[in-house]
Amino acid sequence: MSRQGTKTDRSGGKVIARRKPIQLLLRRLLWAGLFVGLVFPVAVILFYRLLPPLVTPLMLLRDAPMQYDFVELELISPSLIQAVLVSEDQQFCEHNGFDWKQMGIVWDELLHTGSASRGASTISMQTAKNLFLWPSRSKVRKLLEVPLTLMLETLLPKRRILELYLNIAEFGEGVYGAEAAARAHFNRDAKGLTRGQAARLAAVLPNPLERNAGSPSRNVQNRANQISGQIRIAPAALWSCL
């Protein structure tokens, strides 16, 4: 047997040795892992470039009747777009998926106090999580968010990423997306939301199962007022990529 896995017959010819079953299994597992980890997400993201998601993992995991109606960005109130950008990701038009400055602030807080007063997830990261991953916090999930976010930023324009986010974000129990949220909480379509209503919807995003945009607590209303004030003074560059 040669070092290349061949053997010589009596006539001097070479015969290729058969691969061992374990080698074939490992090779197949490698290709399967490559497909699941790279090819499949890319194919799905390219699908979402043109067509809306039928369902997300979060929708399947929640045990509640689902309200979900995908609409184009033009059919969502500019006030809600501005409120979400102001409250969730003010660097959305500038970053490549990750807000390194915000992540540095959170990291410093963790080092000095052991906890963080805010999150560092961008809209791109949240969209990647909502499209592909599960809601519970874990290091594995956060690790998987990184390549998925890079894929989103590479394959989709910013406008489409925001459109996807606003349509699949959870705004209440079983309520997904701006259109369903506007109807559930304010009995109107997403395009007709006022600035105050839009700010209340943005205010519940960090914890939509415990906060209610239609009947806001004092804390939610205070947060909505802050968001409304930020919209008034926000520079146009904040939504320049849209």
Side-chain angles (χ1 to χ4, degrees), residues 103-124:
M103 292 173 77
I105 293 173
V106 171
W107 179 250
D108 287 342
E109 286 186 349
L110 287 172
L111 288 178
H112 290 92
T113 67
S115 62
S117 61
R118 71 194 81 184
S121 290
T122 63
I123 284 176
S124 300

Side-chain angles (χ1 to χ4, degrees), residues 32-123:
L34 181 64
F35 176 81
V36 172
L38 181 60
V39 179
F40 176 73
V42 167
V44 172
I45 291 170
L46 290 176
F47 176 87
Y48 290 153
R49 186 182 179 101
L50 300 173
L51 298 170
L54 299 177
V55 71
T56 67
L58 180 62
M59 294 176 190
L60 295 175
L61 289 171
R62 296 295 194 215
D63 186 19
M66 186 175 69
Q67 301 177 57
Y68 169 56
D69 187 8
F70 195 100
V71 296
E72 296 178 356
L73 200 62
E74 291 82 359
L75 298 179
I76 297 176
S77 169
S79 292
L80 181 58
I81 294 171
Q82 294 166 0
V84 168
L85 288 175
V86 161
S87 64
E88 294 290 293
D89 188 354
Q90 294 192 14
Q91 299 300 314
F92 177 71
C93 286
E94 304 297 328
H95 62 60
N96 62 349
F98 308 97
D99 187 342
W100 300 109
K101 181 179 180 180
Q102 187 66 29
M103 292 173 77
I105 293 173
V106 171
W107 179 250
D108 287 342
E109 286 186 349
L110 287 172
L111 288 178
H112 290 92
T113 67
S115 62
S117 61
R118 71 194 81 184
S121 290
T122 63
I123 284 176

Side-chain angles (χ1 to χ4, degrees), residues 10 17 24 32 40 76 84 105 126 159 171 195 197 203 213 215 224:
R10 293 181 180 179
L24 290 173
F40 176 73
I76 297 176
V84 168
I105 293 173
Q126 293 179 60
R159 181 180 179 86
F171 284 95
R195 177 180 290 177
Q197 292 167 342
S215 300

